[in-house]
Amino acid sequence: MTDPYYRDELVTLYLGDCRAITEWLTADVLVTDPPYGIAYQSGFQREVLAASIVGDRDTTARDDALGTWGDRPAIVFGTWRIPRPAGVRALLVWDTKRALGMGDLSIPWKPAHQEVYILGHGFTGRRTSDVLTYAPVQSTARGGREHPHQKPEALLRDLITKCPAGVIADPFAGSGSTLIAARALGRRAIGVEIEERYCEIAARRLAQGCLDLGIAT
């Protein structure tokens, strides 16, 4: 069994490749933002943020993880630029309030949305629009973003609220936003992150949240 990189009463985080670490597979619901497989390289001038992430050359990491997860309930972020995962039951659109980068400068439109895929069954809650409008995390480290693909916690809380009961898994945990959102809702969560620098950031954010809340979660 792998030793956790971080653990509190609700969250456990592992450092490593989710294809080698199996603890996350004991969870009940998958909520994750995997490498999209677009070989993204940001040209934006930055202070400390990396231009991209490990595993983004193709969809192998995403497809391997989803293949292992099977047909259980899952929420997966993605993009129209690559084939969607097999078994998508619904497509949600994350409207980023016109803030998502420059895109293809040869056409007169800039990207302002991302796709979110719903797989499996068991989702519940009030029926609402499939367009979710949330501002992204500010694009520079100074503005608050600590991972190049970091998602806003409010959006993740919205998604998790409609998930089936049980433990949340995020095998591509990044800077820990899904784990933080799950814990804020009183949900147990298991994360795996392949890059140690992001595990360190996630652990710090989780530990700070424990102190801010005054509880050991």
Side-chain angles (χ1 to χ4, degrees), residues 45-57:
Q45 289 187 341
R46 59 191 68 237
E47 296 166 12
V48 296
L49 288 181
S52 192
I53 59 173
V54 169
D56 197 39
R57 302 303 302 180

Side-chain angles (χ1 to χ4, degrees), residues 18-19 24-25 30 32 59-72 74 76 85-87 119 171-172:
C18 65
R19 291 168 290 189
W24 65 278
L25 292 167
L30 182 69
T32 193
T59 62
T60 299
R62 181 200 73 177
D63 295 342
D64 285 350
L66 291 180
T68 306
W69 183 252
D71 60 359
R72 292 182 286 167
V76 183
L119 299 91
F172 303 99

Side-chain angles (χ1 to χ4, degrees), residues 25 40 44 54 57 118 143 151 158 202 211:
L25 292 167
Y40 173 77
F44 189 81
V54 169
R57 302 303 302 180
I118 305 300
K151 299 299 185 287
D158 187 342
L211 294 174

Side-chain angles (χ1 to χ4, degrees), residues 10-47:
L10 291 178
V11 174
T12 305
L13 173 65
Y14 296 93
L15 169 63
D17 190 323
C18 65
R19 291 168 290 189
I21 293 173
T22 60
E23 281 81 357
W24 65 278
L25 292 167
T26 65
D28 303 286
V29 189
L30 182 69
V31 180
T32 193
D33 182 23
Y36 291 175
I38 58 176
Y40 173 77
Q41 290 289 323
S42 173
F44 189 81
Q45 289 187 341
R46 59 191 68 237
E47 296 166 12

